[in-house]
């Protein structure tokens, strides 16, 4: 029985990872429009081809991070750490702070947060359903 629970947990984790990856890689047009809106909100010029390419690079890196992660519970510290790693890996800030790059990475991190939040709600409902079934099964 314990082996079945482990397999079920592994399958659930793999499914969550796929779902998060899919959410991050959603429709490119929608993502580009959302980035355009974000740039307008923070009063940066319209994103360029290079900005969209950076967004794609960040998305791929986040998808790899999720795929390789054994922990699908991210805290604010985890988001901060991933953000710093992306800054270091993708931005050349020796030449000065790259505001556009930071805005793109922040945008992608927000998408990651939304992906996790979107997957948390059904999981909570599953727990409640399991608890209710267990209570009903025990005759309470």
């Amino acid at each position: 029985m314990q082996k079945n629970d482990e397999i079920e947990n592994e399958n659930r984790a793999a499914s969550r990872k796929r779902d998060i990856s899919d959410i991050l890689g959603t429709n490119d047009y929608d993502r580009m429009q959302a980035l355009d809106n974000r740039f307008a909100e923070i009063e940066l010029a319209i994103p360029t081809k290079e900005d969209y390419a950076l967004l794609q690079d960040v998305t791929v890196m986040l998808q790899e991070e999720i795929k390789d992660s054994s922990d699908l519970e991210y805290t604010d510290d985890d988001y901060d750490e991933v953000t710093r790693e992306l800054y270091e890996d993708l931005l050349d800030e020796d030449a000065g702070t790259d505001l556009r790059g930071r805005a793109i990475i922040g945008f992608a991190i927000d998408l990651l947060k939304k992906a996790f939040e979107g997957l948390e709600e059904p999981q909570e409902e599953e727990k409640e359903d399991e608890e209710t079934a267990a209570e009903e099964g025990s005759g309470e």
Side-chain angles (χ1 to χ4, degrees):
M1 186 72 177
Q2 185 177 5
K3 182 87 168 158
N4 288 340
D5 289 342
E6 289 175 21
I7 291 171
E8 186 177 322
N9 287 339
E10 288 174 14
N11 288 340
R12 186 175 295 145
S15 177
R16 287 189 75 211
K17 287 180 181 185
R18 275 192 307 276
D19 291 345
I20 292 167
S21 183
D22 289 348
I23 290 169
L24 287 173
T26 57
N27 185 318
D28 285 337
Y29 179 78
D30 290 343
R31 227 174 2 149
M32 290 168 61
Q33 290 296 317
L35 183 64
D36 290 354
N37 292 337
R38 173 67 65 88
F39 270 46
E41 286 172 9
I42 58 176
E43 299 179 358
L44 288 175
I46 297 170
T48 64
K49 288 181 184 178
E50 292 80 14
D51 294 330
Y52 296 126
L54 177 59
L55 178 58
Q56 183 61 33
D57 291 345
V58 171
T59 300
V60 168
M61 291 179 80
L62 289 175
Q63 288 170 322
E64 288 297 316
E65 173 86 18
I66 294 301
K67 183 177 129 191
D68 296 340
S69 178
S70 60
D71 182 17
L72 291 178
E73 301 292 328
Y74 274 43
T75 65
D76 287 339
D77 289 339
D78 294 324
Y79 290 119
D80 290 344
E81 181 180 337
V82 170
T83 300
R84 279 191 303 275
E85 289 172 6
L86 290 170
Y87 287 167
E88 291 170 7
D89 292 345
L90 297 172
L91 303 180
D92 179 18
E93 293 195 330
D94 291 338
T97 302
D98 182 351
L99 295 177
R100 296 175 75 80
R102 284 177 173 254
I104 292 165
I105 290 171
F107 173 79
I109 294 296
D110 286 346
L111 288 177
L112 180 63
K113 287 178 181 179
K114 288 177 185 174
F116 272 108
E117 288 169 4
L119 293 177
E120 286 174 0
E121 294 166 7
Q123 187 179 19
E124 290 300 318
E125 289 174 11
E126 287 175 13
K127 283 183 182 178
E128 290 173 9
D129 291 344
E130 289 173 6
E131 290 171 2
T132 302
E135 289 174 5
E136 290 172 359
S138 67
E140 290 181 20

